[in-house]
Amino acid sequence: QQNYRKMWEALDLDLDAHDGLLEVLGKFYGDIYLSQQGRLAGAEYLDFVLSEIHGLRIQELREAQAAGRKVIGSFCVFVPEEITMAADAIQVGLCAGAEAGTEQAEQVIPRNTCALIKSFVGFKMAKLCPFTESCDLVVGETTCDGKKKAYEAFNELTPTYVMEVPQTKSKAALELWKTEIRRYLAEVEKLTGNTVTAEKLKQGIKTVNARRRVLQRLNKLRAASPAPISGRDALLINQISFYDDPERFTAKINELCDELETRIAEKQGVADEDTPRLLLSGCPMAVPNWKLPYVTESAGAVIVGEESCIGTRNFRDLVDESGTTLDEMIDALAERYMQIDCACFTPNTERLDNVTALAKDLNADGVIHYSLLFCQPYSHESMKVDKALQNEGIPMLSIETDYSMEDVEQLKTRIEAFVETL
Ligand code: BJ8
């Protein structure tokens, strides 16, 4: 702790406010995670990573920086980590899952902005996040209007590079995206002083694919009944995948999956076999946003999947590994990323097929659609997702909320009522 304080000081964090944040986080974690019964032995890794969230991992990043490497932060699964890695930089997904610095944030972005955006601007302005403060560059993207405009304000606080994510899936859009990947590649080369070679990019693709594969493995195992892992723990695994070292993460989660396989063979679960199984679908849940999974699992259901960017949207598709030249690999990257079914695209009908297929694959009894308040793209799509699920006879509950705890009781009542109908 003493060493960490020096490190936090060097990062110019607001130490008192940061102490307060760690205290709340620790309490939350205890209530939501450590209180669970029958957790996996492999959850020790999750507890350790979380307990060291602002400690050991930050220290690793600082050491890497001292050795000349760069750290790049992102807020979206469109930022191609393969390229970042190929330039020997480290990419971290920045937390945007807690209410912090809201008042400060509202000085530079409108009040009717979603909680995720307010959170990342607030964390920065309140000097609370050692990840954000460790970044040599932050990479934004033109997805929703809220984020796109928030990056203009963010750039005034810290260097922010913006990738132009297309809004449609046309051929021209794919070509634009290829150009954007090349532009990003040049930017990271400039930042790091390293050249992205075909060999390095191939390695980056393999490392990120391996992480996707282990998350796919976990996802498949969750189809078992009784559910072998809680939705809370599975969400945490997905959240950690954005900032822990990729190779360590992949190895640890593979071990955890081995343990899950044994559990499944022994018909052991975290809930009884007749517990209603729910799929969460919609906006990403960034660390430490555990509110909805906690409320849902306290309302007598178990969560068996997350159709979101901190979930299947991040690992469903792999990059084709057969390319040998830089050009071929960039094409393969562009094609893979353009399969992401984010609600910011129009039209985005593939998401409707993907949600229904996932609900069936995971033997879900129902779906909770989660939109953050003021999130236009996902709120619009909740209606379409509802219709698509209805056609397949799968019930859905639509929830709109933010990060405050004020509506927890109300949410619980609604979810309990929904669960009773299943
Ligand atoms: S690829 S989902 S991570 S953009 S909740 S900020 S959409 S108003 S997060 Fe996303 Fe990339 Fe798409 Fe995924 Fe805007 Fe909505 Fe807020 Fe959102």
Side-chain angles (χ1 to χ4, degrees), residues 1-11 15 18-19 22 52 54-56 59:
Q1 273 278 339
Q2 224 28 49
N3 284 346
Y4 293 157
R5 281 197 91 75
K6 279 199 193 120
M7 177 173 79
W8 296 331
E9 232 167 53
L11 285 168
L15 291 181
H18 183 250
D19 284 347
L22 285 191
E52 286 288 339
H54 286 185
L56 203 58
Q59 192 173 302

mmCIF file with all atom_site columns, all heavy atoms in Angstrom, residues 1-11 15 18-19 22 52 54-56 59:
data_model
loop_
_atom_site.group_PDB
_atom_site.id
_atom_site.type_symbol
_atom_site.label_atom_id
_atom_site.label_alt_id
_atom_site.label_comp_id
_atom_site.label_asym_id
_atom_site.label_entity_id
_atom_site.label_seq_id
_atom_site.pdbx_PDB_ins_code
_atom_site.Cartn_x
_atom_site.Cartn_y
_atom_site.Cartn_z
_atom_site.occupancy
_atom_site.B_iso_or_equiv
_atom_site.pdbx_formal_charge
_atom_site.auth_seq_id
_atom_site.auth_comp_id
_atom_site.auth_asym_id
_atom_site.auth_atom_id
_atom_site.pdbx_PDB_model_num
ATOM 1   N N   . GLN A 1 1  ? 0.824   -1.225 0.000   1.00 0.00 ? 1  GLN A N   1
ATOM 2   C CA  . GLN A 1 1  ? 0.000   0.000  0.000   1.00 0.00 ? 1  GLN A CA  1
ATOM 3   C C   . GLN A 1 1  ? 0.851   1.265  0.000   1.00 0.00 ? 1  GLN A C   1
ATOM 4   O O   . GLN A 1 1  ? 0.552   2.199  -0.721  1.00 0.00 ? 1  GLN A O   1
ATOM 5   C CB  . GLN A 1 1  ? -0.916  0.012  1.238   1.00 0.00 ? 1  GLN A CB  1
ATOM 6   C CG  . GLN A 1 1  ? -2.225  -0.709 1.016   1.00 0.00 ? 1  GLN A CG  1
ATOM 7   C CD  . GLN A 1 1  ? -3.261  0.160  0.302   1.00 0.00 ? 1  GLN A CD  1
ATOM 8   O OE1 . GLN A 1 1  ? -3.173  1.369  0.295   1.00 0.00 ? 1  GLN A OE1 1
ATOM 9   N NE2 . GLN A 1 1  ? -4.235  -0.461 -0.337  1.00 0.00 ? 1  GLN A NE2 1
ATOM 10  N N   . GLN A 1 2  ? 1.926   1.218  0.845   1.00 0.00 ? 2  GLN A N   1
ATOM 11  C CA  . GLN A 1 2  ? 2.783   2.385  0.947   1.00 0.00 ? 2  GLN A CA  1
ATOM 12  C C   . GLN A 1 2  ? 3.409   2.720  -0.409  1.00 0.00 ? 2  GLN A C   1
ATOM 13  O O   . GLN A 1 2  ? 3.405   3.868  -0.849  1.00 0.00 ? 2  GLN A O   1
ATOM 14  C CB  . GLN A 1 2  ? 3.859   2.131  2.012   1.00 0.00 ? 2  GLN A CB  1
ATOM 15  C CG  . GLN A 1 2  ? 4.126   3.273  2.960   1.00 0.00 ? 2  GLN A CG  1
ATOM 16  C CD  . GLN A 1 2  ? 2.934   4.210  3.194   1.00 0.00 ? 2  GLN A CD  1
ATOM 17  O OE1 . GLN A 1 2  ? 1.816   3.782  3.481   1.00 0.00 ? 2  GLN A OE1 1
ATOM 18  N NE2 . GLN A 1 2  ? 3.169   5.502  3.044   1.00 0.00 ? 2  GLN A NE2 1
ATOM 19  N N   . ASN A 1 3  ? 3.910   1.655  -1.072  1.00 0.00 ? 3  ASN A N   1
ATOM 20  C CA  . ASN A 1 3  ? 4.505   1.848  -2.401  1.00 0.00 ? 3  ASN A CA  1
ATOM 21  C C   . ASN A 1 3  ? 3.477   2.364  -3.389  1.00 0.00 ? 3  ASN A C   1
ATOM 22  O O   . ASN A 1 3  ? 3.752   3.209  -4.222  1.00 0.00 ? 3  ASN A O   1
ATOM 23  C CB  . ASN A 1 3  ? 5.036   0.521  -2.948  1.00 0.00 ? 3  ASN A CB  1
ATOM 24  C CG  . ASN A 1 3  ? 6.335   0.171  -2.274  1.00 0.00 ? 3  ASN A CG  1
ATOM 25  O OD1 . ASN A 1 3  ? 6.924   1.033  -1.627  1.00 0.00 ? 3  ASN A OD1 1
ATOM 26  N ND2 . ASN A 1 3  ? 6.761   -1.069 -2.415  1.00 0.00 ? 3  ASN A ND2 1
ATOM 27  N N   . TYR A 1 4  ? 2.284   1.805  -3.268  1.00 0.00 ? 4  TYR A N   1
ATOM 28  C CA  . TYR A 1 4  ? 1.228   2.213  -4.193  1.00 0.00 ? 4  TYR A CA  1
ATOM 29  C C   . TYR A 1 4  ? 0.887   3.694  -3.999  1.00 0.00 ? 4  TYR A C   1
ATOM 30  O O   . TYR A 1 4  ? 0.628   4.397  -4.962  1.00 0.00 ? 4  TYR A O   1
ATOM 31  C CB  . TYR A 1 4  ? -0.023  1.354  -4.002  1.00 0.00 ? 4  TYR A CB  1
ATOM 32  C CG  . TYR A 1 4  ? 0.151   -0.099 -4.404  1.00 0.00 ? 4  TYR A CG  1
ATOM 33  C CD1 . TYR A 1 4  ? -0.670  -1.086 -3.878  1.00 0.00 ? 4  TYR A CD1 1
ATOM 34  C CD2 . TYR A 1 4  ? 1.123   -0.484 -5.330  1.00 0.00 ? 4  TYR A CD2 1
ATOM 35  C CE1 . TYR A 1 4  ? -0.531  -2.417 -4.245  1.00 0.00 ? 4  TYR A CE1 1
ATOM 36  C CE2 . TYR A 1 4  ? 1.262   -1.820 -5.697  1.00 0.00 ? 4  TYR A CE2 1
ATOM 37  C CZ  . TYR A 1 4  ? 0.431   -2.782 -5.144  1.00 0.00 ? 4  TYR A CZ  1
ATOM 38  O OH  . TYR A 1 4  ? 0.572   -4.087 -5.518  1.00 0.00 ? 4  TYR A OH  1
ATOM 39  N N   . ARG A 1 5  ? 0.905   4.137  -2.752  1.00 0.00 ? 5  ARG A N   1
ATOM 40  C CA  . ARG A 1 5  ? 0.562   5.552  -2.521  1.00 0.00 ? 5  ARG A CA  1
ATOM 41  C C   . ARG A 1 5  ? 1.524   6.470  -3.266  1.00 0.00 ? 5  ARG A C   1
ATOM 42  O O   . ARG A 1 5  ? 1.114   7.454  -3.867  1.00 0.00 ? 5  ARG A O   1
ATOM 43  C CB  . ARG A 1 5  ? 0.601   5.890  -1.019  1.00 0.00 ? 5  ARG A CB  1
ATOM 44  C CG  . ARG A 1 5  ? -0.634  5.430  -0.292  1.00 0.00 ? 5  ARG A CG  1
ATOM 45  C CD  . ARG A 1 5  ? -0.771  6.105  1.057   1.00 0.00 ? 5  ARG A CD  1
ATOM 46  N NE  . ARG A 1 5  ? -1.554  7.337  0.989   1.00 0.00 ? 5  ARG A NE  1
ATOM 47  C CZ  . ARG A 1 5  ? -2.872  7.365  0.856   1.00 0.00 ? 5  ARG A CZ  1
ATOM 48  N NH1 . ARG A 1 5  ? -3.558  6.246  0.766   1.00 0.00 ? 5  ARG A NH1 1
ATOM 49  N NH2 . ARG A 1 5  ? -3.512  8.508  0.806   1.00 0.00 ? 5  ARG A NH2 1
ATOM 50  N N   . LYS A 1 6  ? 2.790   6.081  -3.238  1.00 0.00 ? 6  LYS A N   1
ATOM 51  C CA  . LYS A 1 6  ? 3.772   6.902  -3.953  1.00 0.00 ? 6  LYS A CA  1
ATOM 52  C C   . LYS A 1 6  ? 3.458   6.913  -5.441  1.00 0.00 ? 6  LYS A C   1
ATOM 53  O O   . LYS A 1 6  ? 3.564   7.929  -6.117  1.00 0.00 ? 6  LYS A O   1
ATOM 54  C CB  . LYS A 1 6  ? 5.179   6.327  -3.734  1.00 0.00 ? 6  LYS A CB  1
ATOM 55  C CG  . LYS A 1 6  ? 5.759   6.741  -2.421  1.00 0.00 ? 6  LYS A CG  1
ATOM 56  C CD  . LYS A 1 6  ? 7.278   6.562  -2.430  1.00 0.00 ? 6  LYS A CD  1
ATOM 57  C CE  . LYS A 1 6  ? 7.795   6.671  -1.013  1.00 0.00 ? 6  LYS A CE  1
ATOM 58  N NZ  . LYS A 1 6  ? 8.488   5.476  -0.552  1.00 0.00 ? 6  LYS A NZ  1
ATOM 59  N N   . MET A 1 7  ? 3.079   5.737  -5.932  1.00 0.00 ? 7  MET A N   1
ATOM 60  C CA  . MET A 1 7  ? 2.752   5.615  -7.351  1.00 0.00 ? 7  MET A CA  1
ATOM 61  C C   . MET A 1 7  ? 1.516   6.469  -7.691  1.00 0.00 ? 7  MET A C   1
ATOM 62  O O   . MET A 1 7  ? 1.494   7.175  -8.697  1.00 0.00 ? 7  MET A O   1
ATOM 63  C CB  . MET A 1 7  ? 2.490   4.129  -7.641  1.00 0.00 ? 7  MET A CB  1
ATOM 64  C CG  . MET A 1 7  ? 2.075   3.773  -9.030  1.00 0.00 ? 7  MET A CG  1
ATOM 65  S SD  . MET A 1 7  ? 2.031   1.975  -9.188  1.00 0.00 ? 7  MET A SD  1
ATOM 66  C CE  . MET A 1 7  ? 0.470   1.589  -8.409  1.00 0.00 ? 7  MET A CE  1
ATOM 67  N N   . TRP A 1 8  ? 0.512   6.403  -6.819  1.00 0.00 ? 8  TRP A N   1
ATOM 68  C CA  . TRP A 1 8  ? -0.706  7.199  -7.072  1.00 0.00 ? 8  TRP A CA  1
ATOM 69  C C   . TRP A 1 8  ? -0.404  8.694  -7.007  1.00 0.00 ? 8  TRP A C   1
ATOM 70  O O   . TRP A 1 8  ? -0.965  9.472  -7.767  1.00 0.00 ? 8  TRP A O   1
ATOM 71  C CB  . TRP A 1 8  ? -1.793  6.832  -6.037  1.00 0.00 ? 8  TRP A CB  1
ATOM 72  C CG  . TRP A 1 8  ? -2.260  5.410  -6.144  1.00 0.00 ? 8  TRP A CG  1
ATOM 73  C CD1 . TRP A 1 8  ? -2.285  4.635  -7.276  1.00 0.00 ? 8  TRP A CD1 1
ATOM 74  C CD2 . TRP A 1 8  ? -2.749  4.578  -5.088  1.00 0.00 ? 8  TRP A CD2 1
ATOM 75  N NE1 . TRP A 1 8  ? -2.758  3.380  -6.987  1.00 0.00 ? 8  TRP A NE1 1
ATOM 76  C CE2 . TRP A 1 8  ? -3.059  3.316  -5.644  1.00 0.00 ? 8  TRP A CE2 1
ATOM 77  C CE3 . TRP A 1 8  ? -2.972  4.754  -3.720  1.00 0.00 ? 8  TRP A CE3 1
ATOM 78  C CZ2 . TRP A 1 8  ? -3.563  2.253  -4.894  1.00 0.00 ? 8  TRP A CZ2 1
ATOM 79  C CZ3 . TRP A 1 8  ? -3.492  3.705  -2.977  1.00 0.00 ? 8  TRP A CZ3 1
ATOM 80  C CH2 . TRP A 1 8  ? -3.780  2.464  -3.545  1.00 0.00 ? 8  TRP A CH2 1
ATOM 81  N N   . GLU A 1 9  ? 0.501   9.030  -6.090  1.00 0.00 ? 9  GLU A N   1
ATOM 82  C CA  . GLU A 1 9  ? 0.894   10.429 -5.978  1.00 0.00 ? 9  GLU A CA  1
ATOM 83  C C   . GLU A 1 9  ? 1.576   10.876 -7.272  1.00 0.00 ? 9  GLU A C   1
ATOM 84  O O   . GLU A 1 9  ? 1.296   11.946 -7.813  1.00 0.00 ? 9  GLU A O   1
ATOM 85  C CB  . GLU A 1 9  ? 1.889   10.585 -4.824  1.00 0.00 ? 9  GLU A CB  1
ATOM 86  C CG  . GLU A 1 9  ? 1.518   11.655 -3.835  1.00 0.00 ? 9  GLU A CG  1
ATOM 87  C CD  . GLU A 1 9  ? 2.376   11.507 -2.586  1.00 0.00 ? 9  GLU A CD  1
ATOM 88  O OE1 . GLU A 1 9  ? 3.621   11.457 -2.731  1.00 0.00 ? 9  GLU A OE1 1
ATOM 89  O OE2 . GLU A 1 9  ? 1.801   11.410 -1.496  1.00 0.00 ? 9  GLU A OE2 1
ATOM 90  N N   . ALA A 1 10 ? 2.471   10.005 -7.737  1.00 0.00 ? 10 ALA A N   1
ATOM 91  C CA  . ALA A 1 10 ? 3.199   10.324 -8.977  1.00 0.00 ? 10 ALA A CA  1
ATOM 92  C C   . ALA A 1 10 ? 2.234   10.467 -10.157 1.00 0.00 ? 10 ALA A C   1
ATOM 93  O O   . ALA A 1 10 ? 2.491   11.223 -11.102 1.00 0.00 ? 10 ALA A O   1
ATOM 94  C CB  . ALA A 1 10 ? 4.227   9.237  -9.270  1.00 0.00 ? 10 ALA A CB  1
ATOM 95  N N   . LEU A 1 11 ? 1.109   9.757  -10.090 1.00 0.00 ? 11 LEU A N   1
ATOM 96  C CA  . LEU A 1 11 ? 0.111   9.860  -11.170 1.00 0.00 ? 11 LEU A CA  1
ATOM 97  C C   . LEU A 1 11 ? -0.799  11.069 -10.972 1.00 0.00 ? 11 LEU A C   1
ATOM 98  O O   . LEU A 1 11 ? -1.716  11.301 -11.751 1.00 0.00 ? 11 LEU A O   1
ATOM 99  C CB  . LEU A 1 11 ? -0.738  8.586  -11.221 1.00 0.00 ? 11 LEU A CB  1
ATOM 100 C CG  . LEU A 1 11 ? -0.063  7.351  -11.813 1.00 0.00 ? 11 LEU A CG  1
ATOM 101 C CD1 . LEU A 1 11 ? -0.891  6.098  -11.534 1.00 0.00 ? 11 LEU A CD1 1
ATOM 102 C CD2 . LEU A 1 11 ? 0.141   7.513  -13.317 1.00 0.00 ? 11 LEU A CD2 1
ATOM 103 N N   . LEU A 1 15 ? -5.750  11.953 -3.894  1.00 0.00 ? 15 LEU A N   1
ATOM 104 C CA  . LEU A 1 15 ? -5.578  10.808 -2.987  1.00 0.00 ? 15 LEU A CA  1
ATOM 105 C C   . LEU A 1 15 ? -6.747  10.604 -2.023  1.00 0.00 ? 15 LEU A C   1
ATOM 106 O O   . LEU A 1 15 ? -7.157  9.468  -1.788  1.00 0.00 ? 15 LEU A O   1
ATOM 107 C CB  . LEU A 1 15 ? -4.264  10.943 -2.211  1.00 0.00 ? 15 LEU A CB  1
ATOM 108 C CG  . LEU A 1 15 ? -2.999  10.767 -3.066  1.00 0.00 ? 15 LEU A CG  1
ATOM 109 C CD1 . LEU A 1 15 ? -1.771  10.891 -2.202  1.00 0.00 ? 15 LEU A CD1 1
ATOM 110 C CD2 . LEU A 1 15 ? -2.984  9.439  -3.810  1.00 0.00 ? 15 LEU A CD2 1
ATOM 111 N N   . HIS A 1 18 ? -9.611  9.257  -3.948  1.00 0.00 ? 18 HIS A N   1
ATOM 112 C CA  . HIS A 1 18 ? -9.264  7.905  -4.390  1.00 0.00 ? 18 HIS A CA  1
ATOM 113 C C   . HIS A 1 18 ? -9.407  6.910  -3.233  1.00 0.00 ? 18 HIS A C   1
ATOM 114 O O   . HIS A 1 18 ? -9.929  5.798  -3.418  1.00 0.00 ? 18 HIS A O   1
ATOM 115 C CB  . HIS A 1 18 ? -7.831  7.915  -4.948  1.00 0.00 ? 18 HIS A CB  1
ATOM 116 C CG  . HIS A 1 18 ? -7.402  6.594  -5.481  1.00 0.00 ? 18 HIS A CG  1
ATOM 117 N ND1 . HIS A 1 18 ? -6.460  5.820  -4.876  1.00 0.00 ? 18 HIS A ND1 1
ATOM 118 C CD2 . HIS A 1 18 ? -7.815  5.896  -6.565  1.00 0.00 ? 18 HIS A CD2 1
ATOM 119 C CE1 . HIS A 1 18 ? -6.291  4.706  -5.560  1.00 0.00 ? 18 HIS A CE1 1
ATOM 120 N NE2 . HIS A 1 18 ? -7.100  4.727  -6.600  1.00 0.00 ? 18 HIS A NE2 1
ATOM 121 N N   . ASP A 1 19 ? -8.996  7.308  -2.024  1.00 0.00 ? 19 ASP A N   1
ATOM 122 C CA  . ASP A 1 19 ? -9.188  6.442  -0.850  1.00 0.00 ? 19 ASP A CA  1
ATOM 123 C C   . ASP A 1 19 ? -10.676 6.121  -0.686  1.00 0.00 ? 19 ASP A C   1
ATOM 124 O O   . ASP A 1 19 ? -11.048 4.980  -0.420  1.00 0.00 ? 19 ASP A O   1
ATOM 125 C CB  . ASP A 1 19 ? -8.707  7.150  0.441   1.00 0.00 ? 19 ASP A CB  1
ATOM 126 C CG  . ASP A 1 19 ? -7.191  7.144  0.540   1.00 0.00 ? 19 ASP A CG  1
ATOM 127 O OD1 . ASP A 1 19 ? -6.544  6.401  -0.231  1.00 0.00 ? 19 ASP A OD1 1
ATOM 128 O OD2 . ASP A 1 19 ? -6.649  7.884  1.391   1.00 0.00 ? 19 ASP A OD2 1
ATOM 129 N N   . LEU A 1 22 ? -11.795 3.582  -3.268  1.00 0.00 ? 22 LEU A N   1
ATOM 130 C CA  . LEU A 1 22 ? -11.350 2.215  -2.971  1.00 0.00 ? 22 LEU A CA  1
ATOM 131 C C   . LEU A 1 22 ? -12.163 1.601  -1.835  1.00 0.00 ? 22 LEU A C   1
ATOM 132 O O   . LEU A 1 22 ? -12.465 0.408  -1.846  1.00 0.00 ? 22 LEU A O   1
ATOM 133 C CB  . LEU A 1 22 ? -9.855  2.195  -2.609  1.00 0.00 ? 22 LEU A CB  1
ATOM 134 C CG  . LEU A 1 22 ? -8.868  2.357  -3.765  1.00 0.00 ? 22 LEU A CG  1
ATOM 135 C CD1 . LEU A 1 22 ? -7.462  2.041  -3.286  1.00 0.00 ? 22 LEU A CD1 1
ATOM 136 C CD2 . LEU A 1 22 ? -9.213  1.472  -4.955  1.00 0.00 ? 22 LEU A CD2 1
ATOM 137 N N   . GLU A 1 52 ? -6.278  -5.914 -6.433  1.00 0.00 ? 52 GLU A N   1
ATOM 138 C CA  . GLU A 1 52 ? -5.073  -5.208 -6.878  1.00 0.00 ? 52 GLU A CA  1
ATOM 139 C C   . GLU A 1 52 ? -5.377  -4.288 -8.066  1.00 0.00 ? 52 GLU A C   1
ATOM 140 O O   . GLU A 1 52 ? -4.472  -3.900 -8.797  1.00 0.00 ? 52 GLU A O   1
ATOM 141 C CB  . GLU A 1 52 ? -4.009  -6.231 -7.287  1.00 0.00 ? 52 GLU A CB  1
ATOM 142 C CG  . GLU A 1 52 ? -3.360  -6.926 -6.099  1.00 0.00 ? 52 GLU A CG  1
ATOM 143 C CD  . GLU A 1 52 ? -2.419  -6.006 -5.317  1.00 0.00 ? 52 GLU A CD  1
ATOM 144 O OE1 . GLU A 1 52 ? -1.962  -5.012 -5.882  1.00 0.00 ? 52 GLU A OE1 1
ATOM 145 O OE2 . GLU A 1 52 ? -2.167  -6.295 -4.134  1.00 0.00 ? 52 GLU A OE2 1
ATOM 146 N N   . HIS A 1 54 ? -6.071  -1.245 -8.561  1.00 0.00 ? 54 HIS A N   1
ATOM 147 C CA  . HIS A 1 54 ? -5.318  0.012  -8.682  1.00 0.00 ? 54 HIS A CA  1
ATOM 148 C C   . HIS A 1 54 ? -3.888  -0.130 -8.181  1.00 0.00 ? 54 HIS A C   1
ATOM 149 O O   . HIS A 1 54 ? -3.179  0.853  -8.019  1.00 0.00 ? 54 HIS A O   1
ATOM 150 C CB  . HIS A 1 54 ? -6.015  1.138  -7.900  1.00 0.00 ? 54 HIS A CB  1
ATOM 151 C CG  . HIS A 1 54 ? -7.251  1.630  -8.581  1.00 0.00 ? 54 HIS A CG  1
ATOM 152 N ND1 . HIS A 1 54 ? -7.982  2.697  -8.134  1.00 0.00 ? 54 HIS A ND1 1
ATOM 153 C CD2 . HIS A 1 54 ? -7.876  1.200  -9.705  1.00 0.00 ? 54 HIS A CD2 1
ATOM 154 C CE1 . HIS A 1 54 ? -9.018  2.893  -8.935  1.00 0.00 ? 54 HIS A CE1 1
ATOM 155 N NE2 . HIS A 1 54 ? -8.978  1.993  -9.890  1.00 0.00 ? 54 HIS A NE2 1
ATOM 156 N N   . GLY A 1 55 ? -3.495  -1.385 -7.895  1.00 0.00 ? 55 GLY A N   1
ATOM 157 C CA  . GLY A 1 55 ? -2.169  -1.628 -7.349  1.00 0.00 ? 55 GLY A CA  1
ATOM 158 C C   . GLY A 1 55 ? -1.244  -2.312 -8.334  1.00 0.00 ? 55 GLY A C   1
ATOM 159 O O   . GLY A 1 55 ? -0.619  -1.658 -9.180  1.00 0.00 ? 55 GLY A O   1
ATOM 160 N N   . LEU A 1 56 ? -1.241  -3.639 -8.250  1.00 0.00 ? 56 LEU A N   1
ATOM 161 C CA  . LEU A 1 56 ? -0.270  -4.416 -9.012  1.00 0.00 ? 56 LEU A CA  1
ATOM 162 C C   . LEU A 1 56 ? -0.333  -4.180 -10.524 1.00 0.00 ? 56 LEU A C   1
ATOM 163 O O   . LEU A 1 56 ? 0.700   -4.036 -11.186 1.00 0.00 ? 56 LEU A O   1
ATOM 164 C CB  . LEU A 1 56 ? -0.510  -5.901 -8.718  1.00 0.00 ? 56 LEU A CB  1
ATOM 165 C CG  . LEU A 1 56 ? 0.670   -6.819 -8.949  1.00 0.00 ? 56 LEU A CG  1
ATOM 166 C CD1 . LEU A 1 56 ? 1.848   -6.387 -8.106  1.00 0.00 ? 56 LEU A CD1 1
ATOM 167 C CD2 . LEU A 1 56 ? 0.274   -8.260 -8.595  1.00 0.00 ? 56 LEU A CD2 1
ATOM 168 N N   . GLN A 1 59 ? 1.128   -0.952 -11.328 1.00 0.00 ? 59 GLN A N   1
ATOM 169 C CA  . GLN A 1 59 ? 2.581   -1.038 -11.169 1.00 0.00 ? 59 GLN A CA  1
ATOM 170 C C   . GLN A 1 59 ? 3.210   -1.696 -12.411 1.00 0.00 ? 59 GLN A C   1
ATOM 171 O O   . GLN A 1 59 ? 4.231   -1.234 -12.914 1.00 0.00 ? 59 GLN A O   1
ATOM 172 C CB  . GLN A 1 59 ? 2.894   -1.859 -9.922  1.00 0.00 ? 59 GLN A CB  1
ATOM 173 C CG  . GLN A 1 59 ? 4.332   -1.775 -9.492  1.00 0.00 ? 59 GLN A CG  1
ATOM 174 C CD  . GLN A 1 59 ? 4.522   -2.463 -8.153  1.00 0.00 ? 59 GLN A CD  1
ATOM 175 O OE1 . GLN A 1 59 ? 3.885   -2.115 -7.149  1.00 0.00 ? 59 GLN A OE1 1
ATOM 176 N NE2 . GLN A 1 59 ? 5.361   -3.476 -8.135  1.00 0.00 ? 59 GLN A NE2 1
#
